[in-house]
Amino acid sequence: MIVFDKLKKIVKEKGAGFIVLIDPDRKNDKKLETLVENANCSGVDAILVGGSLMMDGRSHDRVARIKDIANIPVIFFPGGVGQINEYYDAMLFMSVISGRNPHYLIGEQVIAAPIVKDLGIEAIPTGYMLLDGGSATTVEFMSGSLPIPMDRPDIAIAHALAGQYLGMKLIYLEAGSGAKYPVPIETIEQIDRETNVSLVVGGGIRTPKEAAERVNAGASFIVIGTAIENSSEIMAEFAIAIHSKD
Ligand code: 1GP
């Protein structure tokens, strides 16, 4: 697992990893190159590419363009099996473990598995947990799954533990892209205390301070999408914050 080993090394050396999410559907065609070039030289550790919906037929081209310029791993963040292509270095092989929709628990994965094998993409087993970030999200609608209430860390802990026992290498705590509220610090602390699995935290994190607080609470990786879409300069500030674990 070349990319996963790289990610583990980053956490060991820097305390936590900074992952930038590029949604190829964000109408960011004109600034795609700039975004990736900035990521290359701003201390970003990896690029996640994906989204719940693809609204045109050019998303594979965009991934090829990203891969062409990136000098850091480009990892697929799947919204559906139709988004797979050969340009990725690895993928989060995810199951929406907070949901009860069998299609997103195992259905998509069964369709995807032979394609992933054929393309030789490194699959990183990931338990994806949707937590209520205060607003309805695309992923909630598309996956037909209810988010875990934010004031029920006990439910979140039980899901994360189940993911760990099922062999997930990462647990992704997702508040949803552009969420009103990011995953609370206390929830991350409690899940980190009760489990023994690397936590990826994303959704609604708008400032380097919010990112640093989540690293100090136990997040191994922070994913930032919306906050860097319009201001690439902030990337370097996020990198410093995420790589300065207390
Ligand atoms: C979404 O966690 C990511 O899957 C990033 O969310 O766009 O709110 O940063 P934001």
Side-chain angles (χ1 to χ4, degrees):
M1 296 194 85
I2 300 158
V3 173
F4 186 62
D5 286 343
K6 266 190 203 167
L7 294 177
K8 280 197 297 193
K9 196 162 168 253
I10 287 162
V11 176
K12 209 170 160 203
E13 288 172 358
K14 303 184 185 176
F18 175 24
I19 301 178
V20 158
L21 172 72
I22 300 181
D23 184 341
D25 197 38
R26 284 271 178 117
K27 307 287 161 268
N28 44 17
D29 248 351
K30 291 205 181 82
K31 53 183 182 190
L32 213 49
E33 272 77 10
T34 318
L35 260 176
V36 179
E37 278 159 13
N38 285 335
N40 281 341
C41 60
S42 302
V44 176
D45 297 303
I47 297 174
L48 266 190
V49 183
S52 300
L53 273 173
M54 294 294 147
M55 298 299 282
D56 65 31
R58 291 188 298 277
S59 60
H60 295 311
D61 291 349
R62 293 185 191 110
V63 181
R65 281 166 54 203
I66 292 168
K67 178 61 195 152
D68 208 34
I69 313 167
N71 61 17
I72 48 180
V74 178
I75 304 171
F76 178 34
F77 181 48
V81 69
Q83 301 169 8
I84 299 178
N85 61 51
E86 68 273 30
Y87 306 117
Y88 292 108
D89 296 309
M91 71 179 288
L92 301 185
F93 200 86
M94 307 198 306
S95 174
V96 185
I97 61 169
S98 60
R100 297 297 180 269
N101 179 350
H103 190 66
Y104 287 94
L105 276 165
I106 188 62
E108 284 277 320
Q109 294 78 355
V110 171
I111 301 167
I115 303 171
V116 171
K117 182 169 188 210
D118 184 46
L119 295 179
I121 304 173
E122 176 182 333
I124 304 173
T126 304
Y128 185 78
M129 290 172 46
L130 186 58
L131 287 100
D132 187 359
S135 41
T137 56
T138 319
V139 56
E140 179 183 335
F141 184 81
M142 292 303 291
S143 67
S145 56
L146 285 175
I148 296 172
M150 276 299 187
D151 59 350
R152 292 300 304 270
D154 53 336
I155 300 178
I157 290 168
H159 279 79
L161 263 179
Q164 175 186 320
Y165 294 144
L166 283 166
M168 303 299 187
K169 300 283 186 229
L170 299 173
I171 294 289
Y172 195 132
L173 305 177
E174 170 75 275
S177 188
K180 224 177 190 172
Y181 312 111
V183 179
I185 296 163
E186 304 72 37
T187 305
I188 300 166
E189 275 168 352
Q190 291 185 49
I191 296 177
D192 183 52
R193 205 165 35 236
E194 300 293 332
T195 63
N196 189 17
V197 61
S198 297
L199 303 178
V200 181
V201 177
I205 301 172
R206 289 178 177 79
T207 64
K209 181 173 175 278
E210 288 176 338
E213 287 167 346
R214 281 153 184 81
V215 168
N216 289 327
S220 291
F221 300 95
I222 298 289
V223 182
I224 307 289
T226 311
I228 50 92
E229 286 270 341
N230 293 319
S231 153
S232 295
E233 294 75 41
I234 202 172
M235 262 190 213
E237 292 172 34
F238 270 112
I240 293 168
I242 291 165
H243 296 146
S244 311
K245 189 172 176 167
D246 288 344

